[in-house]
Amino acid sequence: MTSNAAVTQIESHRSLLWLESVTVAFGGLLALSSVDLEVVEGDRLAVLGPNGAGKTTLFNAIAGDITPSEGKVLIKGVDCTALPSRLRPQLGVARTYQKTRLFPGLTVEDNLYLAQTGKQRRHLSLWRNAKDAELRAKAREAAGMVWLTDQLSAQVADLAHGQQRQLEIGIALVTEPDLIMLDEPASGLSKGERERLVELLEALPVDSTLILIEHDMEVALSVADRVVVMSDGEVVATGTPDEIRRNPLVHAIYLGEEAAS
Amino acid sequence: MISLSARNVAVALTCVALILLPAFGSDFFVDFVATRTLMLGLAASTMVFLSAYGGMVSLAQWLIFGVAGFAVGNVVAESGRGLNLGWGPWTGVFIALVAATLLALLLGILSARSTGIYFLMLTLTYAVVGFFFFGQVTTFSGFGGITGIDPPGFFDDRPKRLYYAALVLSMLAYVGFRAIARTPFGLALQGVRDDPVRMSSLGFNVQLHRTLAFTLAGFVAGLAGVLNIWWNGQIDPTSISIGPTLDLLIIAVIGGISHLEGAWLGAFVFIGANIYLRDIPFLGSIEGLLEERLLAEERFNTVIGLLLLLIMLASPDGLAGIIARIEHGIRLAFRRSNPEGDGSSLRTNGQ
């Protein structure tokens, strides 16, 4: 990836997401160090790495929850490095969180309906109208996509953990994003629930662009067609799932030098 | 659409009883118990609304309630302390509601970034500032307060008309707050309560939602403040000091700060305890040991404190929480006795 500004601008127009030398520092700790990354439409990118590698910080920088100390974040060619997180859904970005972040006081349908109203700018309305009926119908449709149709009226606080993770993904999908970022969607799931999750991710429309952080290599490598491996805030390897499986550096990072050799 | 739930049926029956109350209740009960309960309940409902739907426990509601009262006093009174503008009572109402709403908007903007204990402390600070402002700025009041404020002539037929005004406004506030909870704005407010970070990542302006909810609650608190000044005929800074500010919180907690109905339930218990506990023989027999007013006040604070403690121990969710649990028990029993039915006729709506 070139750092030439003019080329960057031209390249970035073709990219859905373009990160240029993104650095995030927390005091003396460098959480991300000069990360370059490009994601084009239809990409299914898995971001791997041990704890503390900077994966979630990378997500936070893309989603606007953190402003990078240095570098640029371009989404659809728009420089949104300092754009607040609440304005990024308008650019087609949706994310999930490592720790489940839902609205437990509301029902499943309300969660999926609410997720759309922010982007649709319906959230300040004191009246319900035909548009709401449309959004409700889409909410029910999204519940079907994540197998929660029979839980539409259930209070989210009463759902099992696996169902809550499904709803997390449903909330991201219902906004019809151009870029979906899933932060450890398999976290805390049983083996059966993981298989269900893989099935769900594989069933996403083929043109969906996905970035996935996942500790479970099986889940990540079966869903992604490209993999980025991070360690200590840096990108240390990129490649196809097969290339990453064979990469000795990746083995060393995950298993230690001795085991890798 | 309004569902025929046990909760709605109970609320509807209570409303019917309240409408008929002046026909069979004494004037004393209607004026000193029922009207005051409705006024305090209306003020407390704004605290419950902000807490239950927005996750904000505000101690500034009593200040806003008081500001509306001071505004009416300054505009309507013709002599004594304050501005003495001597304008008509309805002009006073208009100015009071505008003042209360604008103050709520300002305070909402200032506190929208705070949450939890910081929000509580910030709003407590507003209440203290308000007390000293009206105490020390004699242009608007001074510690002696404003007296001789008459309600509009329409309310001369006391206590009935003022009672009905308080009842109608309470009903509108109750129905309105519940209806708002189901609108896009209300659902977004509940989303802000549950997870502001997620709301922001979904495109919501969290601070704006908090500010608008605070402003709306301020308008309703202003309405309660207007009723109170009509009922009381006077207002002084002591009536908006920390004591009464905390009384409103006690009312909300006794009733149940997560249930709108709790605002009026708590107000009823609070007013009832204040008026009737002096008639209990043991408590009455110690009267005269100290100066009567002081004794009455201290005795009341002790009793209401014990009452609060008992209710909190029995139900952290207040009286409305106890009622909700009883209703849940009945629903379960109904389901067990009718396994074929889905129990929908007894289904409750979530807040």
Side-chain angles (χ1 to χ4, degrees), chain B residues 257-293:
Chain B
I257 204 157
S258 332
H259 302 264
L260 267 180
E261 301 92 335
W264 287 275
L265 270 176
F268 181 67
V269 170
F270 188 88
I271 298 289
N274 198 354
I275 291 175
Y276 292 110
L277 284 183
R278 70 184 68 233
D279 295 334
I280 294 176
F282 168 73
L283 293 168
S285 69
I286 56 174
E287 200 161 338
L289 292 176
L290 290 167
E291 193 268 321
E292 190 176 342
R293 182 183 156 82

Side-chain angles (χ1 to χ4, degrees), chain B residues 268-335:
Chain B
F268 181 67
V269 170
F270 188 88
I271 298 289
N274 198 354
I275 291 175
Y276 292 110
L277 284 183
R278 70 184 68 233
D279 295 334
I280 294 176
F282 168 73
L283 293 168
S285 69
I286 56 174
E287 200 161 338
L289 292 176
L290 290 167
E291 193 268 321
E292 190 176 342
R293 182 183 156 82
L294 177 67
L295 180 68
E297 190 62 31
E298 291 197 339
R299 186 173 57 200
F300 171 67
N301 284 340
T302 307
V303 170
I304 204 73
L306 285 171
L307 209 56
L308 178 68
L309 187 65
L310 284 174
I311 290 170
M312 290 294 289
L313 286 173
S315 165
D317 214 7
L319 291 171
I322 294 174
I323 294 170
R325 276 200 293 281
I326 292 170
E327 188 197 353
H328 183 67
I330 294 171
R331 200 166 62 240
L332 283 181
F334 179 81
R335 275 187 191 160

